[in-house]
Amino acid sequence: MTLLLLLLVCPFMTKAQESFFQFEEESVELISAENMSDRERILYISDRWKFSPGDDTRWAEPDFDDTAWESISTNLTTSDLSFVEWEGIGWFRKQLQVSSELVGKPLALVVDRHLGASEVYLNGKKVYELGRFSTNPERVEAYSGNELPVVVFPNEEIQTLAVRFINPNNIESERMFGYNGFRFLLADWKAHQTNVLSFISEWTGTSMFFAGVLLTFALIHFLLFLFYPAEKRNLYFSLFAGGLLFITYFLYRLELVHYTFESIFFLKFALFFEIIVLVFAVKLMHAIDQNQKSLYSNSILVVGIASAAYVYFQPASSVWFREIMILLLVIELIRTLLVMFRKRREGAWIIGAGMMFFVLGLIVSILINFQLMSGNVKMVNLAGSGLLILSMSIFLSREFAATQNSLKQKLSEVQELSKRALEQERISKEREIEKRLLKAENERKSAELEEARALQLSMLPQKMPLLLGYDLAVYMDTATEVGGDYYDYSVEQDGALVLAVGDATGHGLKAGIMVAAAKSYFHTLVHEVDLITMLSRISSGLKNLNMRLMYMGFILMKCKNRKIELTIAGMPPVLHYSKKKNRVERIVLKGLPLGGSANYPYKKKSLELEEGDILLLMSDGLIELFNPDREILGMKRVEEILQNSADYSSSDIIQQLNQLAETWSAGLDAHDDITLMVLKIPEN
């Protein structure tokens, strides 16, 4: 659905050119001119390189032995990161053997995507820096896609290409794109430069032409609205065309910056206006139909603007929400058009013809993309979209003239005006009744929701056990509805203490059901199996609930004396304050949330605590807390509070963390539950 909208708002978008190749994993990759694509003169090299986390400049040397390194994709997808310890910085190495016809020839290092900064080394010598590289994440400047690097292979011997890569914003890039790394290709430099310049020239010219057309239509109809404010259809069409103008600009910039962090900025605005444009298209069609209730139409406007704002601020987590909103708005457009045809609305055939040409253009462009027929995709889409906008403008112009004639005839119809006044009064009363009914319904639902939340809290332990050798405290702050956080404990017969912290996705009834099921499984299995087996069985049980798209993060920790066993499934790292080292360390065990793959190989970590050591288990509600400036709290501030409060008791540490949350949020309501569990080994 998003693709269809982008074809509407930017009909000159280019056809996807990226090809995907699979290579057998070999120690040396052979490249030759025979493997270049005929049209773009591109060499597709495998994206599987040798990789090692950390940083050591000796790893750029060609004679360095990297046989112990892992082979992973340079894209650093979520699946790749499940098997390596990635903390934002690392080295990639690839060995190439160049055929004789490419030796000494300038080749373009095509940066297909790049999320972060890097240094490129050829045979141990630094040849390029993409962005501004620094081992200090705060000083890193991500690559923006403006360079056109050149690589020259000096001979036919084996060449070592090494990349020192850092992505301090890997969490954001993984949420937006699903990967964190880069991808390099090689190309004939002269041909690639010519293709790039030709593309930029053609892309700019076509974009500016279409933007000029949209600007013209937007200004003309906005002026018509200013001269005659009663005709709001001109205002809606002007806003519709203006939104298309903004999307045209953002897509133009998005195509030029490729896949870099800069593209996130333009993509968020494009997604925002994607919904805004459809909202004003619906308002325009409702205004043309003239039989739609104002409350219904205005509700769509308010919900649409709020949805667009949500998509802008949460683009990664709102993918399905955005697609559903777009689908609903398109369905509303088609429904309104069909109603106009059914009621034989005069002039509806004009917009219908524009829609028909637009859909025909989409079909033809798809056939061209699949090489089922020949033609120019840009021109076909331009013609289809242009005719749609032109048909709307013609219809409004025709309606404007007809309205002027109608107004002249109705100046003397006082009786009709009185009837309209009575109708307006009736509508106002209906609105008031609907508001009261809606208020009563909201109050009823709020009361039911509060009862459900109280039931959920009653399932949690009211207090934690008092055990010799442990200082244990827990805290939960629920959101305004039934949440998905969970904590629990169990004391074994041998004196061992088992702790659990969970976080179900989302809120509401489904999340509450998952919490109840997790509690039941925990107390059933805790005396029978080890931690890893318990995770797998709970995951299998939650999966059998058949609650689609619902998962649950989980932390299990077994404490016996000072020996700790810990396993994590899709939860934030456990923070460990070491009294001896006087620092906080993150215990990271990557694993899928429960309810998905029942056979996932979860990992377990064992450690032995000393006097004064502290463990902090938590859900993601605290670290993902926003302040009024839409800044996220993050893990670093929590670590600072934990270290500064190391001499306090567990309950006092939780109080310090609560103070941090209240100060950071400045009174704003939390969007997620906050659960904190602190275990401290008291000092004698």
Side-chain angles (χ1 to χ4, degrees), residues 359-393:
V359 173
L360 181 62
L362 289 179
I363 295 174
V364 172
S365 64
I366 293 173
L367 294 176
I368 295 175
N369 284 331
F370 282 96
Q371 298 183 353
L372 298 178
M373 63 182 299
S374 60
N376 189 311
V377 175
K378 295 180 182 179
M379 296 306 298
V380 170
N381 287 330
L382 178 62
S385 299
L387 288 174
L388 173 61
I389 297 173
L390 180 62
S391 67
M392 288 183 173
S393 180

Side-chain angles (χ1 to χ4, degrees), residues 588-646:
V588 180
L589 295 176
K590 295 186 177 181
L592 295 177
L594 305 186
S597 174
N599 298 320
Y600 184 84
Y602 294 102
K603 298 179 181 179
K604 181 173 66 174
K605 184 176 181 64
S606 299
L607 66 154
E608 186 165 348
L609 302 182
E610 300 179 356
E611 291 186 2
D613 281 11
I614 303 171
L615 290 176
L616 172 60
L617 291 68
M618 58 185 170
S619 63
D620 57 7
L622 177 61
I623 59 177
E624 294 182 358
L625 193 64
F626 285 94
N627 65 7
D629 296 328
R630 301 300 299 172
E631 296 174 335
I632 199 167
L633 178 63
M635 186 72 74
K636 185 177 180 181
R637 295 180 177 88
V638 176
E639 292 173 346
E640 292 174 353
I641 291 296
L642 181 59
Q643 183 166 4
N644 294 335
S645 307

Side-chain angles (χ1 to χ4, degrees), residues 170 238 247 341 671:
N170 56 84
S238 177
I247 294 182
F341 275 114
H671 296 290

Side-chain angles (χ1 to χ4, degrees), residues 446-492:
S446 297
E448 292 179 353
L449 198 59
E450 186 61 31
E451 292 176 359
R453 186 167 65 148
L455 177 61
Q456 178 196 4
L457 294 177
S458 68
M459 294 190 299
L460 302 177
Q462 300 303 311
K463 61 180 180 178
M464 301 302 287
L466 298 176
L467 299 176
L468 184 63
Y470 299 121
D471 179 11
L472 180 63
V474 68
Y475 169 81
M476 175 183 284
D477 181 16
T478 59
T480 56
E481 57 185 51
V482 179
D485 275 15
Y486 163 69
Y487 69 86
D488 215 331
Y489 74 90
S490 176
V491 180
E492 304 291 281

Side-chain angles (χ1 to χ4, degrees), residues 41 90 113 121 123 147 178 224 281 285 332 390 427 543 586 598-599 612:
R41 305 296 293 164
R113 59 175 61 97
Y121 294 80
N123 298 326
E147 295 86 349
L224 288 174
M285 294 297 289
E332 178 62 20
L390 180 62
I427 292 175
K543 183 180 180 181
R586 299 180 185 178
N599 298 320

Side-chain angles (χ1 to χ4, degrees), residues 399-410:
E399 287 289 296
F400 183 78
T403 301
Q404 294 299 314
N405 294 329
S406 177
L407 287 175
K408 293 179 181 179
Q409 297 174 2
K410 293 181 179 180

Side-chain angles (χ1 to χ4, degrees), residues 649-662:
S649 65
S650 294
S651 58
D652 289 338
I653 293 174
I654 287 181
Q655 185 176 0
Q656 293 297 315
L657 293 173
N658 286 337
Q659 183 62 42
L660 170 65
E662 293 176 3

